[in-house]
Amino acid sequence: MQFGTILIHNEHEFDAATGALVVPVYQSSTFAQRDISAGQEFDYSRSGNPTRKALESAIARLEGGAAGYAFGSGMGAIASVLGIFSAGDHIIAAEDIYGGSYRILNTFYKRWGLEHSACDASNIENIKKALRSNTKAIFLETPSNPLLKITDLRAACAFAREAGLLAIVDNTFMTPLLQRPIELGADIVVHSGTKFLGGHSDVVSGLAVARSEEIGRRIYAVQNGFGAIPGPWDVFLMLRGLKTLKVRLEAAQQTAAKLALHLNSHSAVEAVYYPGLNGHSGRELHESQASGAGAVLSFKTKTEEAALNFLRRVKLAAPAVSLGGVETIASYPVKMSHAGLPPHERERLGITPALIRISAGLEAPEDLIADFDAALA
Ligand SMILES: *Cc1c(COP(=O)(O)O)cnc(C)c1O
């Protein structure tokens, strides 16, 4: 079956007990154990819940993994996956991973003795150079945020395999509709479900998918032990959002491409970053590992003032953090997602006060273009 069909037709399409077309919200913390010696699948909702199970098996199938796990946020998923490692282990992380991932590596996990080094992963040689005797994993995100740099997933995952490391990929920007890291060699995929998977800016959620049952058991031990699980209502919203992932993301992607082209020839715009644009240095590589450029782009105005004016004047894009909703969002990395980085580090990465990140929504592209033009005028 094609991806769009699998989104709708899966093992949970009818409720086994009633035939309901929607997975019921099992708002129950515990489950009666009539025959205690027999054991049963569900006994306590931190350990397992039927609503959550439907989401976990759905994401596992969509990513092509052996097992999926749902969490209360993307950071819950990422922190729990990092929890499979031990004090004294070392992780190689791309330097432009999501700010929250960078922060827990640099603070929480550092205090617990998990070492890491950050490198520009868009050049595979940098990953190789960062290898130490205690390295256990590489943590990647491609396209990266906010400058949409591309990492060669096949090469990085092949290197990880050779060196006996786990390759972890944050696939939030692409979703399995456009990029399936496990097929490219990754061992673990993590997601902020808050973004395109949920898709409606109404739920905070996270997911992890393991290539093998064995890796899955290690993640499950943390999920069950840490307990960073989602409640069944949030899972219901995720299951509901997921059904329309294909139509939403394909439409938003078309709009992003139109916006990128338009901005690219706009006299008030200094540079546009979008992996679907001719002239993006990672375009060919991206197209070799993903089936679309996605719905996130960034651009630089000529001055900081022009960027701030754009954010003040734009009407159809919400000036906000986050991405992947039905509404277009314009975020300002310097003050939002990357506010925690020291200014010289931001400057080195190219995250300047003139940079704006756009997550295209489902508004008509003509309206967005007219609105952007007015805001840039
Ligand atoms: C938002 C985001 C996260 C964190 O997810 P939350 O749901 O906000 O906890 C992780 N990675 C990426 C790429 C994100 O965009």
Side-chain angles (χ1 to χ4, degrees):
M1 283 193 285
Q2 299 294 304
F3 192 91
T5 312
I6 299 171
L7 285 174
I8 311 298
H9 296 277
N10 54 50
E11 61 186 290
H12 297 286
E13 65 183 301
F14 306 126
D15 175 45
T18 63
L21 263 66
V22 173
V23 178
V25 178
Y26 284 93
Q27 187 75 38
S28 185
S29 58
T30 188
F31 300 82
Q33 304 183 45
R34 291 219 176 269
D35 182 355
I36 289 174
S37 56
Q40 59 191 41
E41 183 175 9
F42 300 107
D43 55 19
Y44 187 59
S45 274
R46 170 160 42 73
S47 308
N49 171 284
T51 314
R52 192 173 96 213
K53 184 189 170 193
L55 176 61
E56 293 179 330
S57 64
I59 192 65
R61 178 153 183 212
L62 294 170
E63 286 285 4
Y69 302 92
F71 297 87
S73 69
M75 284 319 304
I78 291 165
S80 297
V81 163
L82 292 173
I84 73 174
F85 300 101
S86 304
D89 289 351
H90 171 252
I91 290 183
I92 302 168
E95 65 185 1
D96 42 11
I97 51 173
Y98 178 72
S101 309
Y102 177 80
R103 192 163 54 219
I104 45 160
L105 277 172
N106 239 338
T107 56
F108 179 87
Y109 277 109
K110 196 173 193 171
R111 279 193 284 110
W112 285 87
L114 182 64
E115 300 165 16
H116 80 280
S117 31
C119 69
D120 177 356
S122 65
N123 179 350
I124 181 86
E125 294 309 319
N126 294 333
I127 300 179
K128 293 183 177 170
K129 269 187 251 158
L131 185 70
R132 298 185 196 162
S133 59
N134 58 339
T135 305
K136 293 289 158 60
I138 57 179
F139 188 105
L140 305 171
E141 192 178 316
T142 179
S144 71
N145 181 21
L147 291 173
L148 292 303
K149 288 207 282 192
I150 308 300
T151 293
D152 186 337
L153 285 179
R154 280 190 192 88
C157 294
F159 171 69
R161 175 114 351 141
E162 214 172 277
L165 318 175
L166 292 179
I168 305 167
V169 178
D170 185 333
N171 202 29
T172 300
F173 273 36
M174 287 284 99
T175 86
L177 173 69
L178 302 177
Q179 178 171 276
R180 287 185 287 282
I182 290 176
E183 288 176 5
L184 302 168
D187 299 291
I188 300 173
V189 172
V190 291
H191 278 286
S192 170
T194 314
K195 316 294 168 54
F196 293 102
L197 295 178
H200 295 75
S201 307
D202 54 8
V203 60
V204 173
S205 167
L207 297 156
V209 178
R211 162 189 286 281
S212 68
E213 297 283 353
E214 191 267 325
I215 297 168
R217 277 190 292 275
R218 293 169 69 186
I219 297 173
Y220 178 72
V222 185
Q223 184 196 41
N224 189 35
F226 255 21
I229 52 150
W233 284 101
D234 283 357
V235 170
F236 165 83
L237 287 171
M238 286 298 298
L239 284 165
R240 181 177 160 128
L242 204 52
K243 289 180 189 176
T244 55
L245 171 65
K246 183 170 184 285
V247 285
R248 282 188 289 104
L249 184 47
E250 282 177 354
Q253 176 174 253
Q254 278 182 13
T255 299
K258 286 181 183 160
L259 286 172
L261 266 182
H262 182 77
L263 291 170
N264 205 32
S265 59
H266 197 292
S267 59
V269 172
E270 186 77 30
V272 178
Y273 305 88
Y274 183 62
L277 269 187
N278 278 331
H280 184 288
S281 62
R283 181 179 180 170
E284 255 177 61
L285 176 60
H286 182 72
E287 286 175 354
S288 75
Q289 59 190 17
S291 60
V296 178
L297 63 134
S298 294
F299 69 95
K300 276 182 188 156
T301 51
K302 298 227 153 110
T303 62
E304 170 174 4
E305 200 195 351
L308 291 170
N309 279 337
F310 174 84
L311 290 168
R312 270 193 287 267
R313 289 177 190 156
V314 72
K315 292 200 177 72
L316 296 180
V321 295
S322 200
L323 55 109
V326 295
E327 54 288 288
T328 295
I329 292 177
S331 46
Y332 192 51
V334 167
K335 288 274 191 269
M336 296 176 178
S337 52
H338 294 70
L341 288 186
H344 65 275
E345 183 60 12
R346 275 201 305 261
E347 203 64 34
R348 188 183 69 79
L349 293 172
I351 305 165
T352 70
L355 184 73
I356 292 167
R357 189 190 72 195
I358 301 292
S359 167
L362 300 184
E363 303 88 347
E366 303 77 20
D367 291 336
L368 288 170
I369 286 173
D371 186 39
F372 279 28
D373 280 351
L376 285 168

